[in-house]
Amino acid sequence: MSTTFKLDTSTSRANPTPQPMKRLTVPRIRARKKDGVTEDPLVMLTAYTARQAQLLDAHCDMLLVGDSLAQVIYGLPSTIPVTLEMMANHGAAVVRGSYHSVVVVDMPFGSYEASKEQAFESASYLLKQTGAAAVKLEGGEAMAETVEFLNSRGIPVMGHVGLTPQAVNVLGGYMARGRSDSEADKIVGDAIALDKAGAFAVVLEGVLEPIAIKATKALSCPTIGIGASNQCDGQVLVTEDMLGMFERVPRFVKKYEDIASVIEKTVAHYAEEVRARTFPTEEQTYQPKD
């Protein structure tokens, strides 16, 4: 038995309670792909808070503390302004709220590109502050040396190629990638380079489906698709997107629910009762004892 932090939902407080160690590991994630095939696809969603992690944990193999929190949590126009401290704070919350999934934390823009030494300093900070199992960084062949450097020093790395949001200013927007033969070849080559460098998985985002299928067949490690193909070894979505928290989402998102309308309807009901003085009732107030 080992002590982990489990959120007590009756009090909204984190209390140390004994939990059996059931968390998946990075080697087990990579081992799901055998002889180029993943029979049991990997399930991954983003998480940014302890309570959200609790709700997702039992159903996922991995939880990604994505730098998408820039738009989802902070209302920023892109992921560029995200800091290491922001990622560390949210990463720690997700680790505290989970005990089964492998937690992966995004390396924010500017925290790893300058050198492999900078990347190690940033990645080690994130793992120390959060207790997460791995980091994710964007970029292909140019980042392969960094991935190998981190991996050889005990830091598991998930790669990310195709549409890379941190490079939005270079790419010129969030459009699908790989429409030219040269770009398609580069995406597959980038994925292969990361695989050879020791990445335990590679995210393929916003690429034409034939490219995703080709890369998936070429890699020994699992591919995680987002706007790619159901033939990838796993899938990831931004949780708020698939729950329907936003009206506008990328084409590759399937809204499994319309949580935004549920929240709006519930808040309207609350506001109505407050204005009518029908809330709180005796059940929600403290009365003198006889």
Side-chain angles (χ1 to χ4, degrees):
M1 303 287 282
S2 177
T3 299
T4 60
F5 284 90
K6 182 180 179 182
L7 198 68
D8 181 349
T9 57
S10 66
T11 63
S12 298
R13 295 182 183 138
N15 299 305
T17 56
Q19 280 283 359
M21 286 299 291
K22 298 179 181 178
R23 194 180 293 277
L24 292 170
T25 64
V26 166
R28 287 179 64 186
I29 293 296
R30 178 157 187 153
R32 289 275 278 275
K33 189 169 186 175
K34 299 177 182 179
D35 300 322
V37 178
T38 302
E39 293 185 0
D40 186 14
L42 293 157
V43 178
M44 189 176 192
L45 284 170
T46 60
Y48 315 111
T49 67
R51 181 56 178 152
Q52 187 180 38
Q54 270 197 314
L55 295 172
L56 304 178
D57 189 42
H59 309 285
C60 294
D61 300 299
M62 293 179 284
L63 293 176
L64 173 64
V65 187
D67 58 2
S68 49
L69 59 79
Q71 295 100 326
V72 175
I73 302 294
Y74 293 98
L76 295 168
S78 74
T79 61
I80 302 301
V82 174
T83 65
L84 275 171
E85 289 72 22
M86 290 163 68
M87 297 308 305
N89 289 337
H90 288 277
V94 170
V95 171
R96 286 195 295 268
S98 62
Y99 70 90
H100 168 259
S101 302
V102 167
V103 177
V104 182
V105 182
D106 260 338
M107 300 267 282
F109 177 74
S111 70
Y112 61 92
E113 297 92 338
S115 68
K116 55 185 185 293
E117 290 79 14
Q118 181 205 27
F120 179 80
E121 182 177 354
S122 298
S124 60
Y125 169 82
L126 286 176
L127 296 194
K128 285 181 178 181
Q129 294 297 314
T130 66
V135 297
K136 181 172 77 64
L137 55 78
E138 296 182 8
E141 188 175 358
M143 287 293 114
E145 184 180 357
T146 296
V147 170
E148 185 175 8
F149 187 84
L150 296 180
N151 190 57
S152 66
R153 285 157 179 77
I155 299 178
V157 181
M158 175 179 284
H160 185 154
V161 300
L163 173 56
T164 48
Q166 291 178 10
V168 63
N169 291 324
V170 172
L171 297 176
Y174 295 100
M175 64 282 290
R177 315 307 305 180
R179 295 196 178 279
S180 69
D181 290 342
S182 60
E183 188 177 48
D185 290 341
K186 183 179 188 308
I187 291 169
V188 175
D190 282 341
I192 292 173
L194 295 175
D195 183 30
K196 290 181 177 179
F200 74 92
V202 176
V203 171
L204 303 175
E205 179 172 1
V207 300
L208 301 188
E209 186 169 34
I211 300 172
I213 294 173
K214 185 176 181 180
T216 297
K217 291 180 178 179
L219 269 58
S220 62
C221 73
T223 59
I224 309 297
I226 175 168
S229 172
N230 64 11
Q231 298 305 301
C232 290
D233 300 297
Q235 301 294 327
V236 63
L237 283 176
V238 172
T239 299
E240 282 76 2
D241 286 346
M242 57 88 73
L243 289 178
M245 286 291 288
F246 301 105
E247 292 181 8
R248 185 179 179 184
V249 295
R251 172 180 171 173
F252 55 75
V253 173
K254 177 179 178 178
K255 288 188 179 182
Y256 286 82
E257 189 52 84
D258 186 10
I259 295 299
S261 66
V262 174
I263 293 174
E264 188 174 12
K265 180 180 178 180
T266 304
V267 173
H269 187 194
Y270 163 74
E272 180 183 334
E273 289 196 352
V274 169
R275 294 185 177 113
R277 297 191 185 276
T278 56
F279 173 84
T281 67
E282 187 172 328
E283 292 181 357
Q284 290 92 36
T285 55
Y286 300 96
Q287 304 300 321
K289 294 182 179 179
D290 295 333

